[in-house]
Structures are given as C-alpha cells and as structure tokens.
Amino acid sequence: MIVFVRFGNNGGGRSMVGRRILARTAVLLVGALCAMTLTGAQASAESAATGVRWGPCDSASLDGVPEGQRYLYSCGTHEVPIDHADPAKGTVEIAMMRRAATDPAQRIGSMFLNPGGPGTPGFTRPATDFGRFAPQVLDRFDLVGFDPRGVARSSPLRCFESQEDADAVLGGLVPVPVTAEEMSTTLDAYREQGEHCSRNAGELVRHMSTADTARDLDSMRQAVGDEQLTYVGYSYGTLIGATYVNMYPERTRALVLDGAVDPNLRTNDGSQYDRQRAQGFEIALDAFLDRCAQVGPDCAFSSGDPQAKFDEIRERVRAEPIAMPDGTVMDLNRFTETVSGALWSVHTLAPLAGDLESIHRVLHPEKGQAPKRATVLETPLVNSRLDNPSSDGAAPYVDSAYFGVNCSDKPFPRASAAVPVTAQQWERESPNFGRYQAFNDAAGCSAWPAAGESAYRGPWQHQADTPVLVIGNRYDPATRMDFARRMAEQLGNAALVEVASFGHVILGGSDCADAIVTDYLLTLTAPQQGTVCEPNVQPFE
C-alpha cells in the first residue's frame, strides 16, 4: 500500500483535469513477506486498478463522436514523478482518455497514441483519430490518448504567470526577422522568455525531455495493466516511440512510427537537424511547384514558370509587403508561415496555387484580373515549426512545452549572437525557410534555463523482438523522407514503408499503408523491405 500526501497547486489551469504539480511522500507499509507473495500478474492487476482514476469524459472532449459510441469512452488522470530518479521531488498528473475495445472478448490490449509537437495535446486522440484505424483494430484495442507532461490538461509547464505577460514578451517575436532591429527584438524576446521560465516554471522545466515522457509512458502502460506497449506515434511522437523501445525493449510489443524523425541527429546536433528540416520544406515546395507545372491548367499557378514566379513573389515580399485588392497585406512573415503551413496537407495545395496566382497577378496587372482568392494564405493553417499542430484550439502560450522538450533534447550553442550568422548561412541554401527555421529553436534554446541532463541520446539499435514499423511520405515537409530512412536504419530491427505522397504523416490517407498497419498491429507481421505505397489522393486531383 502506498500512502500519498499531497500539497501545493501551481494555479492557472484551464480545466479540473491534470492542472496540479503535486509533491508527495510515499511510505511503504507492506512487509517483505507480503511483497514476496505478490505475483507479477497480481502486481499488474493492482496497478491497473489503482494507477488511473477513470471516470466520465466531459461532453466537449467527445465532440464529433457519434452518440451511440460515447459509452466506450472514459477519462482520467495518472500521477508520475516529476523526476523518475528522485520521486521525492513531487509528481505531475497526466491526463488520459480511453476508447474501449468494441470486442472485449478478443481484446489484445491498449494502444497508446501521440500526435507529435512537441507540445501538441493528445488527450482527445481516441475521439478524433479512431477513424484512422480499421474496424478490426478498434475491436481489439483500447485506444489511449494522453497529454504529455507539461501539456494542456496534464500539469502544464508554465513560464508566464498570465496571458498578458506572455503576450508582452512573445508578442515581440518576428517569425522571419531580416533587419538588425527585428533580429535584436526577437532574440530579446527569447531571452525574456528564458528569464520568466527560470522564475516560474519550477522543477518541471528540468524534466521535460523525451526520455521523461518515455518513462511516463511506461508508467501508463503498467497502470492500464498491459505487459507490453503497443503504440502509434506521429511526427515528433516517433521519437517518443524510438526512445521507449531502446529504454524498454523487453516491454515493447508493437510500434507504428508515422512521419519519422532522425533520432540520432535530433538528439545530438540540434542545429544540423533544424538545418535539414528547413531543407525538407524546400524539397516539398519544389515538388509542389514541379507537380503544378506538370498538371497544367488543373493547377491555377501553372502558366509560365511556377518556380520563377514563386521566387519573384518571395523576393518582393522580402523587400516590401504586397497590398491585395481585398485589403489583405501580405508580408514576408505571413507569406512564409502560410506557405509552409499549406505544405502540410495534400488538400491545401490546390488552394495554395490559386492564392499564389492571385498574388502574382497583383504584381503583373497586365495578365488580367486576379482570380478569386482562396483562404489558404489569409491566416496560418498551422504553426509549421511544430512537428504536429494542435487540434484542440488551445490559446497561444498556454504552456511552454514546445521549448521545454526541444531545448532538453536538441543540443544548441548557448550563444544567441550566433543565430543571425546561422540564419544567413541557412538562407543561402534554403531561401524560403532557412531564416525562418533558424530563428526558432536555436534562438529560443540559447536562453532556455535547463540544459537537458535527462535526455536520451542513444544508442538506437533496439533489442525488442518485434520489428518497429516506420512510415515516411516522399514529400513530407516537416519530417523529410530521409529522416524516416535514417530512423529505420538506426533502429536496426525495423521495416520501412515509403508512401509516394505529399503532406505530413499518412495514416488514414493510404489504403495500402493502412492495410500494412492493420496486419502489423494484429499479427506483428512486418512488411517486406522496400515496400512503397500510393496515397489515396494526389495534388490537383
């Protein structure tokens, strides 16, 4: 029996689920003789009974779930140590949602889901993502989503005491700073963010690495009563899976890693990783423009030379904003953020082409009236610096988990003065996204208060019995195909599936890949090496 003594409250929570950072002391009251009689199965059952406080989900969390299926859902919280190596430092709560298997008699176990980020909420994924999986998967697995430590409904990593404080500091950030004043203002904002984190974030800021999350995941696995982990991770979530299988190979059943990162590069050279990430967006943009030219009139931007036209627009907005007929002002920041955001989905590429043609005709009125604009370039679709955007509608700056994780995992020079030089170098090789990428993690982490002592940095060649299933899209902007190839190679016992697709991650968007995933999850059968799948949708179709 474990007795918990709780005290303290960090305040500022958005819901009653998982908003407290708790301190606890534990007194072991069971004698050695009783402990010896407790079998492994009994221990697992006890953990499953007491490890997660399950109850009803609030109706807003189940928005979109058919009324007749809501009985399958339950929500709860699970406590984990802030520092797994020193539980006396206190605990954080992890918010969890579960969708029960629809055929309990044939149930295999739980399947944990993580959407990436880092910092993206995953709590509602059983309610939003169940359509990605075949009925036979839903029959046999409980789907379990969770907000990782520091995120949203779980105990949040808070650097700012109020939204007003956050806006005052981070409102000065310029996404693509070009002038000396813009660069100075941006670096000053990141420095102030670091100072706020030092004052307000507490012990949690020193325990935000992916390895910490992997330890939490292992605790959740035990708490739901599973002997081994079944897991589906997207984008940054693939690093959680790769870390877990190397820390706990004997506890791993099956991992599906969709939109894979390069684990060795990301955790050992943050600058080189982000440089190659910028190149990935360039690859995706070039492929989009090439496909536009190939399909002809089906792409609104196809007349003339799409690449040359795009370059002309970029150079113009870099020099001065473009005023659109409807009053919209397109500057370099909006242009870069919205173009990179549109590359995340195959469904936004045709509207992007229409918007680009409209902008180009403003520069060349002799070509005739600009066509009606789509909405892709009106506002950013996603924060394309994240590995996976939030779908929970969270207010900006509600937590600081993005930098908390990346500054723990990705080593960067601790000198902000080097960032402008880096940006200039990257811009020469990645003219559209190099500067944008440089003034993000490298700038933010140069002033971050924690150095990431708890990060896992390898080795990566895991010893689990079952191969890991790694999936990559050929023209994925955020996690380029090369990253997926490297992850599969580094993990050793892994099967790689390449999908000839545009956009970020693919599960639910390729019947071929979905069938492979279904077979793998149910039977642990990996596909042949070199498997290439087609997506269900190509651009401009």
Side-chain angles (χ1 to χ4, degrees), residues 169-377:
V169 173
L170 299 182
L173 291 174
V174 179
V176 195
V178 175
T179 67
E181 181 180 1
E182 289 174 339
M183 289 187 282
S184 177
T185 298
T186 298
L187 293 175
D188 285 346
Y190 281 128
R191 176 183 50 77
E192 291 185 50
Q193 175 184 251
E195 293 172 353
H196 278 266
C197 290
S198 294
R199 289 196 301 268
N200 302 320
E203 183 66 22
L204 182 58
V205 76
R206 286 177 281 278
H207 302 282
M208 285 294 298
S209 72
T210 300
D212 291 309
T213 297
R215 294 183 181 98
D216 295 346
L217 184 57
D218 190 59
S219 180
M220 286 185 278
R221 172 201 59 78
Q222 183 182 5
V224 299
D226 284 9
E227 293 186 1
Q228 291 184 305
L229 177 73
T230 300
Y231 172 85
V232 177
Y234 304 93
S235 198
Y236 158 74
T238 66
L239 182 62
I240 298 175
T243 302
Y244 185 94
V245 73
N246 281 280
M247 292 176 64
Y248 306 108
E250 74 285 356
R251 304 177 195 176
T252 302
R253 177 186 175 273
L255 302 181
V256 177
L257 307 182
D258 181 10
V261 306
D262 178 339
N264 185 63
L265 188 62
R266 186 178 181 122
T267 59
N268 288 282
D269 190 340
S271 293
Q272 185 60 225
Y273 182 88
D274 283 2
R275 175 189 177 192
Q276 294 189 21
R277 181 173 162 86
Q279 293 169 358
F281 276 93
E282 299 286 344
I283 291 169
L285 175 63
D286 289 348
F288 155 71
L289 295 172
D290 287 345
R291 182 66 60 90
C292 177
Q294 292 168 12
V295 301
D298 287 337
C299 173
F301 197 53
S302 63
S303 63
D305 183 344
Q307 182 69 66
K309 291 162 64 179
F310 185 93
D311 292 346
E312 180 186 3
I313 296 172
R314 182 197 67 240
E315 291 306 310
R316 174 62 183 272
V317 296
R318 198 180 192 283
E320 60 179 330
I322 298 175
M324 301 299 294
D326 63 356
T328 302
V329 176
M330 186 64 60
D331 63 10
L332 179 63
N333 297 308
R334 171 177 283 188
F335 182 74
T336 304
E337 288 195 306
T338 52
V339 169
S340 57
L343 294 174
W344 283 59
S345 172
V346 66
H347 301 289
T348 53
L349 296 184
L352 171 62
D355 284 4
L356 292 173
E357 180 64 16
S358 296
I359 296 173
H360 195 256
R361 290 196 181 192
V362 170
L363 301 182
H364 294 275
E366 71 277 5
K367 294 179 61 178
Q369 185 177 1
K372 182 180 179 181
R373 295 190 65 208
T375 60
V376 174
L377 296 184

Side-chain angles (χ1 to χ4, degrees), residues 12-15 19 118-125 147 150-154 156 158 163 167 380-383 386 388-402:
R14 288 190 297 135
S15 71
R19 288 306 187 194
T120 301
F123 175 79
T124 60
R125 290 294 157 155
D147 287 350
V151 177
R153 294 171 181 84
S154 295
R158 288 284 175 81
Q163 187 68 48
D167 290 340
L381 295 177
V382 299
N383 180 349
L386 298 178
N388 201 311
S390 170
S391 62
D392 285 12
Y397 319 133
V398 71
D399 60 56
S400 301
Y402 173 80

Side-chain angles (χ1 to χ4, degrees), residues 398-419:
V398 71
D399 60 56
S400 301
Y402 173 80
F403 282 108
V405 175
N406 274 345
C407 297
S408 297
D409 284 353
K410 298 164 74 174
F412 289 100
R414 302 286 290 181
S416 61
V419 175

